Amino acid sequence: MAERISHTRLGDGQTLPPPRQQSGFLLALRQSFFNGWVSSIITLALLTMLAMTLPGLWSWAISDAIWSTQDSSVCRAASGACWAVIGEKHRVILFGTYPYDEHWRGALVVALVTGLAVLSAIPRFWSSALFVFWGLTTVLVTILMFGGVFGLPYVGTNKWGGLPLTMIVFMTSVVLGLPLAVVLALGRRSHMPVIRAVCVGIIEVVRGLPLISVLFMMIIILPLFLPTDLTIDKLLRALIGMVIFFAAYAAEVVRGGLQAIPTGQYDAAKALGLSYWPAMIKIILPQALRIVIPALMNDIIRAFKNTTFVSIIGIFDVLGATKASMRDVDWVRYSTEAYIFVALLFFVYCFAMSRYSQFIEKRLDSERER
Amino acid sequence: MFWNDAKIRALIYQALVLLLVLGGLAYFALNAQQAMQDRGITTGLDFLSQASGFAIGEGAIEHGPDDSYFHALKTGAVNTLVVSIASIIGATFIGLFLGVARLSPNKLLSGLARVYVEIFRNTPQLLQIVMWYLLLTNLPGPRDALSPVDGYVYLTNRGINFPVLNNGTSLFLAFVVALVCAAIAVALATRFMDYRLRQTGKADGRMVPIFGAGVLGLGIAWVLLGTPTDLISPTLQGFKYRGGQTITPEFIALFFGLSLYIGAFIGEIVRAGLMSVPKGQLEAADSIPLGRYDRFRLVVLPQALRVMVPPATAQYVSLLKNSALGVAVGYPELYNVTNTTTTLSGQALECVLVMAVFYLSIALTISAVMNVYNRRVQIKER
């Protein structure tokens, strides 16, 4: 007799035991940390490592640290970190050699740029009015930093420094760099060989060079190329370098967006009788730029981090100002703490921007699906 | 009218741009010539053969004050290449580890990897290099050096002292040679076992020959390095460690700054590459059924590489260019040496030109090599 096969019953009326619990804290714990022996070993090794480093770090950074003192000998007596150095030097770190009584102007510049950047990041506020606001902010920032009008004392660019300078370098490279990038990208896709060659040349040469060498050229070489009686401010020269460098990188990103637009869109624009610039501005660019926003955010974050490069050519951005402030023999041994503070400052801005970039990518993806 | 013809209009535009560019260049050249004359500088590359008058403290080539400017620039270029190649190797390992760690089901591992990536990606590279340098120069002096591997490695504020093989070969060179030999041997053995599989249908017992080939590769490396049998440890003589290999804090700071920073980016590229392989591919591999290792080697890796190679190339090029940040800690790489040469010789234009040609050609070489590799890993459509 052939064996009876049943799909419904097993044995003599016996039922299978209920499945093991599929949820619960302990199970989650096991799956996350002790799933198999490899995972268990990794977890134990990492825990040992953390147990060896964290207590020491804690006592250095928190429990044994000196949080505020005017007297560097207090720090010398302590075994932990000396965060007091930040309290003591924060004005120099944040504002460089800008006149002490005018620091509020620098602070206002930072607040203005940060505030407007946050506003421009919110999709609900995306409109052409933003361009007007950026224009107004540029004027305001210039007035605030230079002074010389409305009873504000004049401050030359050689005195600028710290976070406001970092913000200005950042804002200039992005705000002027983006339009230049669009022009370069369009030029690279132009049908006219001469224009294409010029744009390819600029993009590839600048992208092949280190940023410092581009700045070096602007500082040392550019004055040689100009008549002797024409001198351009050092900061302005550095800014030109930053703008060109940002534009060359962003141009490649924009080109990617332009290539992603189907030819049908170009044909449709032509069919409507639009000539080149109206077609680009009204039809192609709005779509192309939308696609590349996440990629552009990467370049923008990099531009923010790259502002520190100007400290090498003797412009006192946050990093340069910190370096300068640490020449004080009483506090020089606490440079690490000062640099950690600067790193934290950059981290807050960059982390916020990278999170925003993820958010906007998701949002654009969902828009496309709709 | 003639401007109603698009072709003629295009010609006019191009002529205008050409005129503008050439005019600008001519204007710059004239001004530069005038400026050179005023300062009494003779243009041309002749100065390169003059004695430089400065010495370069470290690097694969020695450079003394009597050597020429050209030799100085060459030394800088070699130093740039050395630190870049070391950092590219370092960044690749860190990136591979981070990318795999971030995808690990172990939450502690993936969490720590994520913390690392966020910290290193979101702070400026220059700041990181400066901080590494600060940390390294804050180490104790040679007399009370830290020795993490007791009696072999000494950490001092003047550099880290490593032992060398008893024929004087650097451990790092030995590591690279061993790595290359083992990798070639394992790759050949894998190829051979694949061939055997196709010929005979036998898929079993592959791990032993592959592992054996790896050991054989290490043996070949040992012979290539001159069969060293012992290590020479550095010993303190006066204020210096002698007998071993000293790596300067400048080099290490730059190496850390480059490899740890770019490593974080490579880690994200690796993660994105591995995640880009559709789940269906894994399920298909399981249903054949391939082993875990073969599934990775034959199904996941080829598809992931396709996504990983182009952005990784960009990161390597960026690493090479950012090695110029060595100037911030005084490592004598090309930009730093060019800077000194410009100051001493006054030949700013020529120096910048030499530097630009070097960086451009190296950047283009990396791109070209990676493009060849990229073409190999891309989908072959026939």
Side-chain angles (χ1 to χ4, degrees):
Chain A
M1 193 179 94
E3 201 178 327
R4 182 173 156 270
I5 297 172
S6 165
H7 293 283
T8 50
R9 284 187 68 176
L10 196 81
D12 306 316
Q14 283 179 347
T15 47
L16 286 171
R20 286 173 68 181
Q21 202 183 348
Q22 291 296 315
S23 62
F25 175 69
L26 278 177
L27 191 87
L29 199 70
R30 206 185 73 190
Q31 275 178 350
S32 306
F33 301 107
F34 298 102
N35 197 4
W37 60 274
V38 179
S39 180
S40 305
I41 289 175
I42 292 174
T43 304
L44 290 178
L46 288 176
L47 282 179
T48 329
M49 201 188 78
L50 288 178
M52 271 157 56
T53 51
L54 280 186
L57 198 67
W58 171 268
S59 56
W60 178 80
I62 314 281
S63 60
D64 291 346
I66 303 294
W67 292 90
S68 69
T69 175
Q70 307 251 309
D71 182 7
S72 64
S73 57
V74 175
C75 276
R76 218 158 298 167
S79 64
C82 178
W83 301 116
V85 69
I86 295 159
E88 189 68 19
K89 296 287 177 197
H90 73 281
R91 287 288 195 125
V92 188
I93 292 175
L94 291 177
F95 299 106
T97 49
Y98 208 75
Y100 192 87
D101 293 331
E102 309 296 324
H103 281 180
W104 63 271
R105 281 156 59 178
L108 204 57
V109 165
V110 174
L112 265 175
V113 176
T114 312
L116 191 57
V118 170
L119 269 188
S120 331
I122 303 170
R124 206 197 309 168
F125 294 125
W126 286 352
S127 67
S128 46
L130 273 180
F131 291 104
V132 181
F133 276 117
W134 276 105
L136 279 177
T137 310
T138 313
V139 175
L140 255 172
V141 165
T142 319
I143 292 175
L144 276 170
M145 287 306 282
F146 274 113
V149 283
F150 309 125
L152 299 172
Y154 174 79
V155 182
T157 55
N158 55 340
K159 296 251 164 153
W160 294 12
L163 200 54
L165 186 67
T166 296
M167 286 295 167
I168 287 170
V169 174
F170 173 56
M171 190 181 99
T172 317
S173 14
V174 175
V175 170
L176 296 183
L178 269 183
L180 183 58
V182 170
V183 170
L184 283 174
L186 288 175
R188 194 170 182 166
R189 283 173 59 77
S190 161
H191 297 297
M192 306 179 212
V194 173
I195 292 176
R196 197 166 58 224
V198 169
C199 290
V200 170
I202 294 175
I203 292 173
E204 292 305 329
V205 167
V206 174
R207 273 163 48 93
L209 290 173
L211 174 54
I212 319 179
S213 73
V214 174
L215 293 177
F216 179 80
M217 287 181 194
M218 287 300 149
I219 297 296
I220 308 279
I221 308 292
L222 189 63
L224 283 179
F225 282 154
L226 298 172
T228 33
D229 48 345
L230 178 69
T231 49
I232 303 180
D233 184 83
K234 185 180 180 186
L235 177 64
L236 186 60
R237 273 181 280 156
L239 284 176
I240 297 172
M242 297 296 286
V243 167
I244 294 177
F245 192 80
F246 176 79
Y249 274 85
E252 286 299 274
V253 174
V254 174
R255 182 166 73 112
L258 290 173
Q259 278 172 351
I261 304 298
T263 27
Q265 297 287 329
Y266 290 89
D267 295 343
K270 257 188 207 148
L272 287 174
L274 292 176
S275 62
Y276 183 78
W277 285 109
M280 287 300 145
I281 291 169
K282 288 188 186 307
I283 294 178
I284 307 298
L285 282 176
Q287 300 183 65
L289 290 178
R290 230 184 158 74
I291 299 174
V292 297
I293 287 176
L296 270 181
M297 276 310 290
N298 281 339
D299 275 7
I300 291 175
I301 296 172
R302 184 165 48 195
F304 190 67
K305 290 183 288 181
N306 281 353
T307 56
T308 50
F309 281 50
V310 298
S311 71
I312 291 180
I313 52 169
I315 290 172
F316 293 97
D317 74 317
V318 179
L319 188 57
T322 310
K323 228 183 261 177
S325 75
M326 286 302 130
R327 291 211 188 103
D328 184 340
V329 279
D330 285 339
W331 298 96
V332 65
R333 59 178 68 207
Y334 310 113
S335 309
T336 316
E337 286 86 335
Y339 284 129
I340 289 176
F341 172 69
V342 177
L344 208 64
L345 210 67
F346 272 98
F347 183 81
V348 168
Y349 274 96
C350 293
F351 188 68
M353 281 192 275
S354 76
R355 285 342 283 283
Y356 171 72
S357 156
Q358 284 168 12
F359 154 77
I360 207 77
E361 195 171 353
K362 267 199 201 106
R363 194 188 137 97
L364 291 175
D365 276 351
S366 63
E367 260 176 27
R368 216 162 296 147
E369 272 160 26
R370 235 182 275 148
Chain B
M1 289 301 281
F2 67 89
W3 57 76
N4 286 334
D5 186 338
K7 271 185 192 155
I8 293 176
R9 234 174 20 223
L11 277 179
I12 294 174
Y13 289 149
Q14 294 184 67
L16 278 176
V17 169
L18 202 63
L19 213 67
L20 213 68
V21 171
L22 291 181
L25 287 179
Y27 177 70
F28 282 166
L30 279 176
N31 281 323
Q33 208 181 12
Q34 184 65 41
M36 294 293 184
Q37 258 174 20
D38 292 349
R39 296 178 198 188
I41 299 170
T42 44
T43 44
L45 294 171
D46 294 339
F47 78 100
L48 284 175
S49 54
Q50 291 167 13
S52 64
F54 67 98
I56 292 174
E58 70 171 305
I61 328 179
E62 299 255 324
H63 175 79
D66 295 332
D67 291 321
S68 66
Y69 281 123
F70 181 72
H71 188 266
L73 293 174
K74 199 169 78 183
T75 313
V78 169
N79 282 344
T80 292
L81 287 181
V82 168
V83 77
S84 303
I85 291 170
S87 307
I88 283 176
I89 296 173
T92 308
F93 275 108
I94 294 167
L96 286 174
F97 174 76
L98 283 175
V100 175
R102 282 208 61 179
L103 292 174
S104 160
N106 188 318
K107 291 265 166 60
L108 190 61
L109 184 62
S110 63
L112 284 176
R114 168 134 198 244
V115 169
Y116 174 94
V117 168
E118 295 291 0
I119 290 177
F120 278 81
R121 280 205 322 173
N122 287 322
T123 48
Q125 196 175 11
L126 179 57
L127 182 61
Q128 290 178 24
I129 292 174
V130 170
M131 283 183 78
W132 285 121
Y133 189 62
L134 192 68
L135 208 70
L136 289 163
T137 46
N138 273 347
L139 287 168
R143 291 199 168 245
D144 25 32
L146 299 174
S147 187
V149 188
D150 206 28
Y152 286 103
V153 179
Y154 294 97
L155 311 179
T156 74
N157 56 2
R158 298 195 191 167
I160 301 184
N161 302 284
F162 290 97
V164 288
L165 299 177
N166 63 355
N167 53 6
T169 314
S170 152
L171 279 184
F172 300 97
L173 183 67
F175 173 73
V176 173
V177 170
L179 194 72
V180 170
C181 287
I184 292 176
V186 167
L188 285 178
T190 312
R191 282 261 170 112
F192 178 74
M193 293 319 276
D194 283 351
Y195 173 76
R196 187 188 75 140
L197 175 65
R198 276 194 297 276
Q199 295 299 313
T200 63
K202 284 184 194 159
D204 56 321
R206 4 179 342 135
M207 285 327 280
V208 175
I210 288 174
F211 188 73
V215 175
L216 188 72
L218 290 179
I220 292 172
W222 181 65
V223 173
L224 277 181
L225 290 165
T227 62
T229 47
D230 200 8
L231 292 174
I232 302 177
S233 298
T235 45
L236 185 65
Q237 287 172 8
F239 285 105
K240 259 188 144 176
Y241 277 90
R242 289 181 204 281
Q245 183 186 18
T246 305
I247 310 219
T248 61
E250 290 82 18
F251 180 89
I252 303 172
L254 187 56
F255 170 72
F256 277 5
L258 292 173
S259 56
L260 296 178
Y261 178 84
I262 299 289
F265 285 87
I266 303 268
E268 287 301 276
I269 292 169
V270 170
R271 185 175 74 107
L274 292 177
M275 274 172 58
S276 74
V277 179
K279 211 176 156 198
Q281 295 284 328
L282 298 181
E283 287 166 351
D286 283 341
S287 67
I288 298 180
L290 290 177
R292 266 173 72 115
Y293 172 68
D294 278 338
R295 186 177 83 171
F296 180 74
R297 184 173 67 97
L298 299 171
V299 178
V300 177
L301 197 60
Q303 302 190 60
L305 276 179
R306 224 166 267 162
V307 180
M308 276 150 52
V309 169
T313 312
Q315 290 301 331
Y316 290 149
V317 174
S318 148
L319 184 152
L320 176 99
K321 289 188 297 169
N322 284 350
S323 69
L325 288 174
V327 71
V329 291
Y331 178 72
E333 40 66 47
L334 183 64
Y335 173 76
N336 197 352
V337 174
T338 309
N339 219 339
T340 316
T341 309
T342 309
T343 319
L344 290 179
S345 68
Q347 310 272 6
L349 265 179
E350 293 84 348
C351 286
V352 163
L353 203 69
V354 171
M355 175 174 73
V357 167
F358 175 83
Y359 277 118
L360 283 175
S361 48
I362 295 292
L364 290 179
T365 309
I366 294 185
S367 298
V369 169
M370 291 302 269
N371 272 342
V372 170
Y373 185 65
N374 193 29
R375 221 165 297 139
R376 277 191 51 152
V377 297
Q378 287 306 317
I379 302 176
K380 311 266 189 311
E381 286 182 62
R382 294 194 176 93

